[in-house]
Amino acid sequence: MADTLPYGSWPSPITPESVAQSSPRIDGARLVGDEVWWGESVPAEAGRVAVKRRLADGSVETVLPAPANARSAVHEYGGGAWTASDEGELFYVEKTDQRVYALRPGREARALTPADDAVRHGGLRFEHGVLLAVRETHGDARVPARAIVRIATDGPQAVAVLADGSDFLAQPALSPDGTRLAWVAWNHPDMPWDTTTLRVAHLPTGEVVDIASGRDRAPLQPVWVADDELLYADDPDGRWNLFRRPLSGDAQALAPADADTGGGLWVLGTRWFGAAADGRVVAVRTDGGDEIVEIAPTGVRAVDVPVVAGAAVDDVRGARVLVSGSDADGRAGLWIVDLDSGAVELVTGGAGSWGDEWMPTARALSADGPHGPVHAFAYAPTNPGVTPAPGERPPYVVLVHGGPTSHVGPAPSAKTAFFTSRGIGVLDVNYGGSTGYGRAYRDRLKGQWGVVDVDDVAAAASALAGAGLADPERLAIAGGSAGGWTVLAAVTRTDVFSAGISRYGVGDARALAEDTHDFEARYLDGLIGPLPEAESVYVERSPLSRPERFRVPLLILQGSEDRVVPPSQAEAIRDALAAHGVPHAYVLYEGEGHGFRRAETVVDSLRRELGFLGAVFGFDTPGIPALELD
């Protein structure tokens, strides 16, 4: 018989420790002969990225053992930190020195690039026997120099520049005959989801031509399907769809749909589609949630992979396809698909230490906001052993994703289940500016950061409460990075939320523009306006400009080594809260950067967040003490 208990105080087997050790974070995958290789973040080892492989007999080995760590620092967010040859040689960027190394399983690693503290590498691709990378060089100038380079894999260390001349370059692709290089380029103040150019260089002559470009177009991920023909994603009509372009002809849309095959190019290794040798294409399509489709001359069909969020097509070889992402129960994993037989096999992940009955189901929610419709996913409290107290409505945490040009899909994370299993609902909001709904939706945030995002999360939370699904007096808002900015702005500009949790959030937009790294150095030009012309807007929008508006309790969590949003921002927020007598707690995690990766940090931050909500909303939190607020 189920117990009757107040929301928030339900007992749960989903502990902070189990969340920290839940489904792996997949960091790229590749088919190497009969083997499957993949990168995997290991929270118990300070979040290092190991590379593992599944052998033909089904056994799993670690290719890149500790303490090696495949992490790129290009653009600060990295990506594409490893790849492999068809013969089974690993190439990876070592986090500690950003050099590229080669490693054959069971042997010693050897450096392929010279030691240079000013140089970083990322976006590795091994194609047609050639190792390509994006190289970022930090000199005396504030703006780093970037280039696409070829790295020799045998003999003495040798690096050759193949392309440069832009502020940013990404996604290099070599034609099968080795004579042409394609890549994506963009310049300040644009971001890679605003305006990019797809370029092709004829390597023997150095001639460069633009294949796809234009204002408000962002072509992505070139893939060669012949020596003189490209497949790529582009959004001239407002949705990222696939196009085929012979170099001597015009681009032709490939099975266009009212969905996106593409997204925010935050990390260099992202892959949204792949092409098989027989002409078939496997692609992610996103319209709120993700689906995997096969595009063939005979038509388009859905591929039966249980991925609904964070989907990537990591590799395609013959009829075999590697797909990573999260399923509807929020379990991250890597699957191998046989396009001919339809067989789908889980390679790794896809399981938790608790049963499916503990995982909440996503409920798509649309709200009418002052700027248009707002999209969100609601997760109701879910616990098979508890019945809520009669007449009580649950508290909710409204989650605000980072970016802000990012996206959440209909897949509950382990952290979401941590809260919902205790009787605390979760609302994940894709506010205006999010990807996954087309260019018009993400352009809604242009010039309106701190307005549209705040109005949208408030509208979604109010709609949930207005439908009787949440207690309007117990709505908290939580987010990290740009999501933290929205948290701070929402608690100072609206009366919807009774508490806030900011993880490495932005409190002063001017300070962010001055202090942040080069990748996002001009991001705020589009989100707020160019400086110094728009300085008054920066001041007016920044939560720290109006510290007297802080009225509700806040929990501030920060990493000491964050180079994107430095600790000075969190400390200024803490000081403002203290000066105005607002209950708060501030926690600085030594050794953490922008995003928490260490298991001990994940555990501690979850305990503090739950203890904070219990203290603010007045419910017991079994096994976790209420957080003491200053």
Side-chain angles (χ1 to χ4, degrees):
M1 182 176 179
D3 295 328
T4 299
L5 295 170
Y7 285 112
S9 62
W10 299 356
S12 170
I14 304 178
T15 64
E17 291 77 10
S18 63
V19 171
Q21 300 299 331
S22 59
S23 294
R25 178 176 176 175
I26 304 300
D27 195 346
R30 187 175 174 97
L31 290 160
V32 180
D34 293 331
E35 302 174 358
V36 179
W37 291 35
W38 70 93
E40 181 178 321
S41 179
V42 186
E45 298 177 10
R48 85 172 183 98
V49 176
V51 178
K52 299 184 177 183
R53 64 173 177 170
R54 190 186 72 174
L55 304 177
D57 63 5
S59 61
V60 174
E61 295 180 351
T62 297
V63 179
L64 186 65
N69 189 351
R71 287 275 300 279
S72 166
V74 173
H75 301 171
E76 297 299 334
Y77 295 108
W82 72 274
T83 187
S85 71
D86 294 338
E87 292 73 35
E89 186 169 23
L90 174 70
F91 307 108
Y92 70 97
V93 179
E94 167 55 41
K95 177 189 175 184
T96 56
D97 60 15
Q98 291 297 292
R99 299 172 73 186
V100 178
Y101 290 80
L103 173 68
R104 290 194 178 275
R107 301 183 187 177
E108 293 292 323
R110 56 190 178 88
L112 299 181
T113 58
D116 189 337
D117 291 340
V119 173
R120 306 173 180 181
H121 298 89
L124 301 187
R125 296 289 296 172
F126 188 82
E127 297 186 324
H128 314 299
V130 176
L131 179 61
L132 304 171
V134 176
R135 186 181 70 185
E136 182 178 272
T137 304
H138 293 252
D140 295 333
R142 179 178 178 182
V143 179
R146 298 181 177 90
I148 292 172
V149 298
R150 178 179 61 226
I151 301 173
T153 57
D154 54 11
Q157 296 173 356
V159 179
V161 173
L162 301 182
D164 55 12
S166 303
D167 292 337
F168 301 95
L169 308 92
Q171 298 182 314
L174 189 67
S175 63
D177 63 5
T179 64
R180 291 183 172 90
L181 178 76
W183 72 95
V184 171
W186 68 99
N187 293 309
H188 284 309
D190 292 315
M191 298 300 287
W193 43 84
D194 294 326
T195 300
T196 62
T197 298
L198 173 58
R199 292 195 165 122
V200 170
H202 184 243
L203 297 177
T205 65
E207 180 187 7
V208 177
V209 295
D210 292 350
I211 298 298
S213 63
R215 198 69 225 165
D216 295 327
R217 285 178 59 181
L220 296 170
Q221 195 191 325
V223 171
W224 292 95
V225 293
D227 289 335
D228 59 354
E229 187 173 7
L230 279 169
L231 179 68
Y232 58 93
D234 198 1
D235 63 338
D237 299 317
R239 284 285 206 176
W240 273 301
N241 276 289
L242 295 178
F243 289 81
R244 294 182 74 114
R245 167 72 190 272
L247 298 184
S248 60
D250 297 327
Q252 299 293 324
L254 182 67
D258 190 18
D260 286 314
T261 298
L265 189 60
W266 285 100
V267 296
L268 292 174
T270 308
R271 312 289 292 180
W272 291 278
F273 64 91
D278 62 4
R280 288 181 290 183
V281 175
V282 180
V284 179
R285 281 183 172 173
T286 305
D287 187 31
D290 294 343
E291 70 169 342
I292 308 298
V293 299
E294 177 195 273
I295 303 171
T298 55
V300 180
R301 70 175 182 91
V303 179
D304 190 22
V305 184
V307 173
V308 298
V313 177
D314 295 291
D315 200 7
V316 179
R317 299 293 178 96
R320 297 184 301 158
V321 182
L322 289 178
V323 175
S324 59
S326 296
D327 65 17
D329 288 320
R331 296 170 299 197
L334 174 67
W335 289 263
I336 186 169
V337 181
D338 188 305
L339 296 178
D340 292 337
S341 69
V344 177
E345 181 185 359
L346 178 68
V347 176
T348 187
S353 58
W354 46 85
D356 293 349
E357 67 273 17
W358 292 94
M359 301 303 296
T361 300
R363 172 180 176 176
L365 181 147
S366 292
D368 293 325
H371 311 282
V374 184
H375 303 293
F377 298 104
Y379 301 93
T382 303
N383 187 312
V386 179
T387 298
E392 184 187 12
R393 287 194 283 180
Y396 259 76
V397 177
V398 178
L399 297 184
V400 190
H401 65 66
T405 311
S406 188
H407 177 78
V408 290
S413 66
K415 180 175 180 177
T416 295
F418 173 80
F419 287 118
T420 58
S421 64
R422 287 169 167 77
I424 303 167
V426 172
L427 181 67
D428 241 337
V429 184
N430 280 316
Y431 50 88
S434 302
T435 57
Y437 301 94
R439 179 178 283 270
Y441 193 77
R442 70 179 185 270
D443 278 356
R444 184 192 292 179
L445 200 62
K446 284 193 172 181
Q448 296 297 308
W449 192 40
V451 178
V452 165
D453 49 327
V454 172
D455 290 344
D456 283 0
V457 295
S462 297
L464 191 75
L469 301 175
D471 184 347
E473 303 300 319
R474 294 191 293 174
L475 295 174
I477 182 169
S481 190
W485 156 275
T486 304
V487 167
L488 299 170
V491 300
T492 56
R493 291 178 174 270
T494 78
D495 296 321
V496 173
F497 303 102
S498 301
I501 300 171
S502 172
R503 296 184 298 277
Y504 35 90
V506 179
D508 184 339
R510 287 179 303 173
L512 179 65
E514 293 172 358
D515 295 341
T516 197
H517 58 119
D518 184 58
F519 178 69
E520 295 180 89
R522 302 291 299 279
Y523 193 10
L524 298 190
D525 283 27
L527 292 175
I528 298 177
L531 288 170
E533 297 88 344
E535 184 171 6
S536 62
V537 183
Y538 281 68
V539 173
E540 195 278 328
R541 298 262 183 90
S542 295
L544 277 170
S545 298
R546 301 288 187 273
E548 70 277 3
R549 292 179 178 175
F550 285 113
R551 300 180 301 273
V552 303
L554 282 168
L555 172 61
I556 311 296
L557 306 174
Q558 177 69 38
S560 68
E561 296 183 7
D562 193 334
R563 296 180 181 177
V564 179
V565 181
S568 58
Q569 293 248 359
E571 291 160 2
I573 296 164
R574 174 202 61 194
D575 294 344
L577 295 170
H580 289 83
V582 179
H584 67 280
Y586 172 66
V587 184
L588 182 68
Y589 292 106
E590 293 294 335
E592 286 285 8
H594 196 66
F596 300 153
R597 292 177 175 269
R598 299 182 177 185
E600 58 269 27
T601 304
V602 175
V603 169
D604 186 77
S605 62
L606 277 176
R607 292 177 63 88
R608 290 178 188 270
E609 289 186 30
L610 181 60
F612 172 75
L613 295 174
V616 171
F617 291 150
F619 51 74
D620 293 330
T621 51
I624 295 176
L627 188 66
E628 292 186 9
L629 303 180
D630 296 328

